[in-house]
Amino acid sequence: MFFLYFKTMDDPPDTEWEWEHIEPFKEELQTNGAAAAAEKINAYLKEWDTIPLNIAITGETGSGKSTFVNAFRGLDKKDQSAAAAPTGCVETTKVIKSFPHPKYPNVTLWDLPGIGTPKFQAENYLKQFQFERFDFFIIISADRFRENDVKLAKEIQRMEKKFYFVRSKMDHSMRDEEDTQPDFNEEKTLAKIRVDCVQGLENRGMLSPQVFLVSSRQLHLYDFHLLEKTLEKELPAHKRGVLLLAMPIVNLEIINKKKEALQSNIKFLAAASALVAAVPIPGLSCVVDLAMLVDNAIVYKNTFGLDPKSLQSLADSAGVPLHDLRAEMKSPLALKEISGEVIRMLIVPVFHVASIAAEEVSRFIPVFGLAAAAAISYAYTYRALTTILNMLAEDAQRVFRKALGLDTPV
């Protein structure tokens, strides 16, 4: 009977990977009971939050590696905190440095010293920095890719790792072209730069190289969204969601993908809630569920960039007053600091009544009542988390549209 909530899921697993992870919980439930199964699900969710993703950023001196590292992690050029990678006109990276993502510390960008200096020759570069730790490499150049970039790419390829060429500082390049070309055309200029980069790499022996044109100061322009799609497609399945959550928001599609990644975990959270409800301890289910809703609402808010620091950064980079962005947020969850009281006001009374009902059912109808309590708790936790996620995702879409001057309503 305790399998009831698995068979009435609003959003059942739709991939082989998800079924692979749900089956052990069902086996644990059957073998050791609800408390043990709930503990196993919580351990899985914690493990999911700690899946490591290590990204190596490399290239020649002055190519814009550190600026890219900061932009990827959502830190703007004004950020002078210790968390920001130092930038400058001279070589600022003398040794390899790790920069964890400020919201997802399991995602780390590694700023590697520029290649081509006497200290860091391409031939021995990867051995010096333990290449096996990295999931993929991004090779950055501020203009044409050079011999050292190609040597490094071939060595990475030989070691069966993924790499991607990024032509950086595109905002500078496009501004220079516009200032010097009387018949400037943005689309034609971008195509010319892309062809020039690709041909330069092919002339040095690279077969069918992919080049992404990027401005680290304006990630929503040019090819960053194409880089994101390529990384998402080529990463192993278990690291795909990690990448999506950590990705900076550069278009509305990223918001939707983040929402999908977060939605995929709700079934596991609801299952944990159901298993707690099946443990006959008065009041336990209500306390655990409220804490779960608060914790995940905070995660959703941060992931969508609706926290105060992210909003200020977006306002600065887009040149839009902060109060204009805040005016686009409609949910109390976005406008206020998230707490148990805010969640109770928003989700209760329906959720609270359902929790009490589940507890009462389990108390007065032994055995069958526990299964019914689990089903009720699953359904309402699932719906509550989905409601919270939808509210914050819609706010994020409105805020981003305002920042970019998009008029189409959500």
Side-chain angles (χ1 to χ4, degrees), residues 2-34:
F2 289 124
F3 293 133
L4 180 60
Y5 59 87
F6 281 112
K7 296 187 180 292
T8 58
M9 292 169 70
D10 294 61
D11 183 25
D14 53 7
T15 68
E16 181 181 343
W17 188 80
E18 286 188 24
W19 275 117
E20 178 186 332
H21 284 78
I22 277 185
E23 286 302 321
F25 304 140
K26 294 171 72 172
E27 293 171 8
E28 186 74 19
L29 177 63
Q30 188 176 30
T31 305
N32 299 314

Side-chain angles (χ1 to χ4, degrees), residues 360-381:
E360 292 301 313
V361 165
S362 66
R363 186 181 305 166
F364 291 108
I365 312 176
V367 183
F368 290 102
L370 293 178
I376 293 170
S377 186
Y378 179 95
Y380 280 92
T381 300

